[in-house]
Amino acid sequence: MKTIVFGGSGFLGSYVVDELTHRGHDVVIFDRQPSPYRPDLPFILGNILDREAVAAAVKGCDYVYNLAGAANVELSIDSPLEYLEVNIIGNANVLEAARQAGVSRFIYASSAYALSDRGAFYGTSKRTSEKVIELYQEHYGLNYTILRYGSVYGTRSDNSNRIYRLLKQALTEGKVVFPGSGSEEREYIHCADAARLSVDILGDWGCNETFILTGMERFSYKELLNLISEIMGGKVKIELQEGNYKGHYNLTPYHFNPSLGKKLISNPCIDFGQGLLDCITALHNELLTPDEVIVEGPRKDG
């Protein structure tokens, strides 16, 4: 099967590309920058706002994954037009290209914030795109799967990822600062687990369905910060600012919404503590000079 992954050079996209390739798909990556992880695969340099480039890229594909877009709640408050344009119009461009090409399935990377009345313009852009996808199926018969990702973490992430930012601050400043009270809770899922589930759904049971992808373990931010400090030998100072965690939900993204989603979990899955340690090691190596890099054992995350 020929499969194109929009946003395949990025954090989540790179893991999905690895998983698709592992399962025998002929994968093409479409992104604004080449993949540092899979230079062996066909690559198309482009932007999902370029309608003609997107249409040309999708021709001949069986499956289309759209994992491209802007994904930061706080930044969406500062740049609403960018988030609305990229996440709604950009997705519509990929969706229309998939319809015109007659693909077997369109897979969309949504968010748990699509279930919430929080999430600012980011959450709104995801909710809107989900509705557009459902209308495409209703009017044109385009099969889809919507994946509402929760709190995804892992190596290959960057400053757009909350855990990455916390770990980087711990390593570079010896402290972690969180804007909320620490009581806010999340169910973290490792990117490798999320990627496996993102390909599992290509079975018939995943057609025209919406799934929520979160982890099996629930942690408050206070527990997360204490875990980071403990892993790093108790040398990290924790600062809770007790303010409003702007734009984010506290305990759950759910609010009344007639559009239900089935929850997918990975079992077995990567233990959160083990996954966090792996992230710390990888980030520590990024901050060191080449002759200081820690040598790791065999990796198990993809």
Side-chain angles (χ1 to χ4, degrees), residues 73 76-77 111-128 148 186 244-259:
V73 173
S76 78
I77 298 173
S111 166
Y113 278 103
L115 299 164
S116 176
D117 58 356
R118 306 302 296 272
F121 296 97
Y122 168 69
T124 296
S125 70
K126 292 299 183 180
R127 287 193 295 276
T128 302
R148 292 171 177 163
R186 296 293 184 270
N244 178 30
Y245 190 17
K246 191 175 181 182
H248 293 269
Y249 63 87
N250 187 11
L251 299 180
T252 177
Y254 301 130
H255 75 292
F256 176 73
N257 191 321
S259 177

Side-chain angles (χ1 to χ4, degrees), residues 6 8 57 81 89 113 134 148 164 171-172 190 205 226-227 234 237 248 284 296:
F6 289 86
L81 291 181
I89 301 302
Y113 278 103
E134 291 168 358
R148 292 171 177 163
Y164 177 92
L171 287 168
T172 59
H190 194 281
W205 56 270
N226 285 330
L227 181 59
K237 182 180 178 182
H248 293 269
H284 181 63
E296 297 181 274

Side-chain angles (χ1 to χ4, degrees), residues 223-287:
E223 289 172 328
L224 167 62
L225 299 180
N226 285 330
L227 181 59
I228 292 173
S229 179
E230 187 172 334
I231 289 175
M232 299 181 68
K235 300 178 181 179
V236 177
K237 182 180 178 182
I238 298 172
E239 296 182 14
L240 298 173
Q241 297 182 333
E242 301 291 341
N244 178 30
Y245 190 17
K246 191 175 181 182
H248 293 269
Y249 63 87
N250 187 11
L251 299 180
T252 177
Y254 301 130
H255 75 292
F256 176 73
N257 191 321
S259 177
L260 300 178
K262 299 176 181 178
K263 183 173 180 178
L264 280 184
I265 58 175
S266 180
N267 188 18
C269 65
I270 295 173
D271 173 73
F272 185 52
Q274 177 183 322
L276 203 59
L277 177 60
D278 191 36
C279 291
I280 292 173
T281 302
L283 182 55
H284 181 63
N285 285 343
E286 288 180 20
L287 299 172

Side-chain angles (χ1 to χ4, degrees), residues 21-277:
T21 305
H22 176 71
R23 301 198 198 186
H25 288 248
D26 295 322
V27 179
V28 177
I29 298 172
F30 184 109
D31 209 311
R32 293 186 299 177
Q33 59 185 11
S35 171
Y37 311 107
R38 298 308 301 259
D40 56 314
L41 296 178
F43 171 75
I44 299 173
L45 180 68
N47 190 311
I48 58 174
L49 293 175
D50 186 339
R51 189 178 302 175
E52 293 183 359
V54 169
V58 169
K59 288 181 180 178
C61 292
D62 299 290
Y63 296 109
V64 173
Y65 279 77
N66 184 20
L67 281 72
N72 185 296
V73 173
E74 294 96 330
L75 292 181
S76 78
I77 298 173
D78 298 328
S79 306
L81 291 181
E82 176 187 346
Y83 273 71
L84 296 176
E85 183 179 35
V86 172
N87 289 353
I88 299 175
I89 301 302
N91 180 66
N93 288 339
V94 181
L95 190 62
E96 176 63 15
R99 178 176 83 92
Q100 295 290 344
V103 305
S104 297
R105 185 91 61 88
F106 176 84
I107 301 91
Y108 177 61
S110 186
S111 166
Y113 278 103
L115 299 164
S116 176
D117 58 356
R118 306 302 296 272
F121 296 97
Y122 168 69
T124 296
S125 70
K126 292 299 183 180
R127 287 193 295 276
T128 302
S129 288
E130 286 193 10
K131 295 301 181 183
V132 173
I133 292 167
E134 291 168 358
L135 285 172
Y136 261 71
Q137 201 288 320
E138 178 182 343
H139 292 289
Y140 309 121
L142 176 62
N143 292 327
Y144 70 87
T145 303
I146 293 172
L147 301 174
R148 292 171 177 163
Y149 294 98
S151 299
V152 181
Y153 77 101
T155 59
R156 306 182 185 177
S157 57
D158 56 25
N159 276 320
S160 65
N161 183 268
R162 169 65 63 177
I163 286 187
Y164 177 92
R165 295 198 299 273
L166 292 174
L167 295 179
K168 185 175 181 180
Q169 187 177 44
L171 287 168
T172 59
E173 302 177 29
K175 68 177 182 179
V176 285
V177 179
F178 182 71
S181 67
S183 64
E184 302 85 354
E185 295 182 351
R186 296 293 184 270
E187 293 175 325
Y188 296 99
I189 180 171
H190 194 281
C191 216
D193 292 328
R196 282 192 292 273
L197 294 173
S198 299
V199 181
D200 287 345
I201 52 83
L202 292 180
D204 291 340
W205 56 270
C207 188
N208 299 326
E209 295 279 4
T210 297
F211 296 102
I212 304 161
L213 274 62
T214 64
M216 299 179 67
E217 297 178 280
R218 176 175 284 266
F219 286 84
S220 68
Y221 269 108
K222 187 174 182 179
E223 289 172 328
L224 167 62
L225 299 180
N226 285 330
L227 181 59
I228 292 173
S229 179
E230 187 172 334
I231 289 175
M232 299 181 68
K235 300 178 181 179
V236 177
K237 182 180 178 182
I238 298 172
E239 296 182 14
L240 298 173
Q241 297 182 333
E242 301 291 341
N244 178 30
Y245 190 17
K246 191 175 181 182
H248 293 269
Y249 63 87
N250 187 11
L251 299 180
T252 177
Y254 301 130
H255 75 292
F256 176 73
N257 191 321
S259 177
L260 300 178
K262 299 176 181 178
K263 183 173 180 178
L264 280 184
I265 58 175
S266 180
N267 188 18
C269 65
I270 295 173
D271 173 73
F272 185 52
Q274 177 183 322
L276 203 59
L277 177 60

